Structure formats: structure tokens, C-alpha cells
Amino acid sequence: MTTKDVGRAARRGPYAKSEERRRTILDAAHEVFAAHGYRGGSLQDVADRVGLSQTSLLHYFPSKRDLLMAVLERRDEITGDAFPDDMEEGLVDSVLRTALFNENIPGLVELYTILCAESVTDSHPGCVYFTERFDRLRKSYARRFAELAAEGRLRAGVDPDEAAMSLVALWDGLQTQWLLAPDDVDVVKGLRGYFNLLVLPEPKPNPNPEPN
């Protein structure tokens, strides 16, 4: 290692430690907000989990609101479900895959559900986030359903905009029921049943095509 490399490593050291500390704080905030919500969870609760004072915690996140928004952004990075247009697979496969993935990340569904419900209360800092998120999801899913209609795979009479709105509502409702009765509610099965009602199977290729 050259002297220049040593210097670069030394400079990266404090930055790496700072980023690691930020991730630790975000993990703790995720747990606190998932268990108690934004209103019920305090900065002191988060600080206690990572062994910091509130003053030290505020060095990384200047306010409780900043911490909340960082937690929500990190959630989106983990799941990717906030940006369905970026998914390479088809609508049905991407939704079912994401739903199954979300169930296997501890606290992820709890965090989303409790913060989403809280966001409709007065002056909640997550209101804009969830409003924009729902708008983005509805529009994105509507485009996906419209693509299926253009391919002849959306059942007759199904409106892409209404199907998109219903999908968002169904998914959130199933997740809430799953949190309350995980042994009785299967989110993926419920979503698959919904798609079976609206989306026609992809046509299978003809194994014996007619010669030209």
C-alpha cells in the first residue's frame, strides 16, 4: 500500500464509521416506529437502543422528522415496491415477489402499516410521503394494467385505473389482516386470486407451428 493509499484509507475511516452509525440509528428507529408509531416512539427510545444521547443522535439526524423520512426512504430502498415501473418482470410476478419479500423482513410491514395509518392525522410529517406514494403507485399500476389490456390479457370490462386503485387497497388491507392473524391470512394467495380474476393467462407458444 502506498502512502497515498494509506491517506485515502485514513480519510475513509471516519466517514465509514459515520455511515455505520447512521445505519445503526436507522435500524433502531425502524424498530421503534414499527412498534410505537411516529407519535408514540421518541428520539430517546431510539437513542437508548444505540447507546447514544439525544444530542449525539441529533448530530446524525437534526430532527425527529428527518429521522422518520430517512427511515421511509430506506424502506423504499429495501423493498423497491414504491417504484414498480423499475421492475423488470411483469406486473403479476413483481407484485407477488415483493409481497413475499416484505413478509420476510422483520418489522417492514408493521412499519409501513402503522406509519401509513398515522399519516392521515393532523400535521403528520409522513402525509406528503404517503400521498405521493399512493399517487405514484396508482399511476404506475394503471400503466401496467393498460399494457396487459393492449396485449389482450386483461379481461373485458376491466378499467386499468380502477384495477390499479383496487390493487393498492387490497394489498394494504391484506397486510393489515396478516399482521393481526398471520396464521389465517395469506397475502400472496389473496393477491394471486385477485390477479386471476382480472388477468388472462399468458398464451403458451404453439409447439407445432404451421409451416410457411
Side-chain angles (χ1 to χ4, degrees), residues 180-212:
L180 296 170
D183 293 332
D184 299 327
V185 177
D186 188 326
V187 176
V188 174
K189 183 178 180 180
L191 290 170
R192 184 181 289 113
Y194 171 78
F195 283 125
N196 287 341
L197 293 173
L198 273 62
V199 180
L200 297 170
E202 190 170 2
K204 296 181 180 180
N206 187 354
N208 299 304
E210 293 293 331
N212 293 328

Side-chain angles (χ1 to χ4, degrees), residues 48 63 92 115 163 184:
D48 289 344
S63 69
V92 176
L115 293 181
D184 299 327

Side-chain angles (χ1 to χ4, degrees), residues 18-36 42 45-50 52 57 60-61 67-68 70-75 77-78 105-108 111:
S18 177
E19 284 301 299
E20 182 179 356
R21 177 64 75 179
R22 281 177 60 86
R23 287 194 297 271
T24 301
I25 293 172
L26 287 175
D27 286 341
H30 184 133
E31 294 175 0
V32 169
F33 292 151
H36 306 290
S42 69
D45 293 331
V46 179
D48 289 344
R49 287 177 182 249
V50 293
L52 291 175
L57 187 150
Y60 296 94
F61 299 94
L67 180 57
L68 172 69
V71 168
L72 289 172
E73 289 172 5
R74 187 157 182 261
R75 179 207 170 275
E77 291 174 0
I78 293 172
I105 303 297
L108 197 69
L111 176 78

Side-chain angles (χ1 to χ4, degrees), residues 14 54 119:
Q54 280 199 50
S119 71

Side-chain angles (χ1 to χ4, degrees), residues 76-99:
D76 287 345
E77 291 174 0
I78 293 172
T79 67
D81 64 353
F83 306 97
D85 281 337
D86 296 336
M87 297 178 180
E88 294 182 359
E89 66 263 65
L91 173 63
V92 176
D93 289 339
S94 65
V95 168
L96 298 182
R97 177 185 59 79
T98 303

Side-chain angles (χ1 to χ4, degrees), residues 29-168:
H30 184 133
E31 294 175 0
V32 169
F33 292 151
H36 306 290
Y38 176 77
R39 303 291 193 195
S42 69
L43 287 176
Q44 188 62 58
D45 293 331
V46 179
D48 289 344
R49 287 177 182 249
V50 293
L52 291 175
S53 65
Q54 280 199 50
T55 301
S56 297
L57 187 150
L58 292 172
H59 171 74
Y60 296 94
F61 299 94
S63 69
K64 187 179 178 183
R65 181 188 184 283
D66 291 323
L67 180 57
L68 172 69
M69 299 314 297
V71 168
L72 289 172
E73 289 172 5
R74 187 157 182 261
R75 179 207 170 275
D76 287 345
E77 291 174 0
I78 293 172
T79 67
D81 64 353
F83 306 97
D85 281 337
D86 296 336
M87 297 178 180
E88 294 182 359
E89 66 263 65
L91 173 63
V92 176
D93 289 339
S94 65
V95 168
L96 298 182
R97 177 185 59 79
T98 303
L100 183 60
F101 175 81
N102 289 352
E103 290 182 11
N104 289 287
I105 303 297
L108 197 69
V109 177
E110 290 89 336
L111 176 78
Y112 171 84
T113 302
I114 192 169
L115 293 181
C116 181
E118 273 192 338
S119 71
V120 303
T121 59
D122 291 342
S123 66
H124 191 282
C127 180
V128 173
Y129 166 87
F130 282 103
T131 299
E132 292 179 348
R133 184 179 191 280
F134 282 131
D135 181 65
R136 182 171 60 248
L137 287 175
R138 287 192 299 268
K139 290 178 179 177
S140 181
Y141 290 146
R143 285 193 292 271
R144 292 292 192 97
F145 276 118
E147 291 171 1
L148 289 170
E151 297 169 6
R153 294 188 56 208
L154 197 62
R155 294 189 186 278
V158 175
D159 179 85
D161 291 328
E162 293 181 2
M165 181 174 59
S166 298
L167 173 57
V168 175

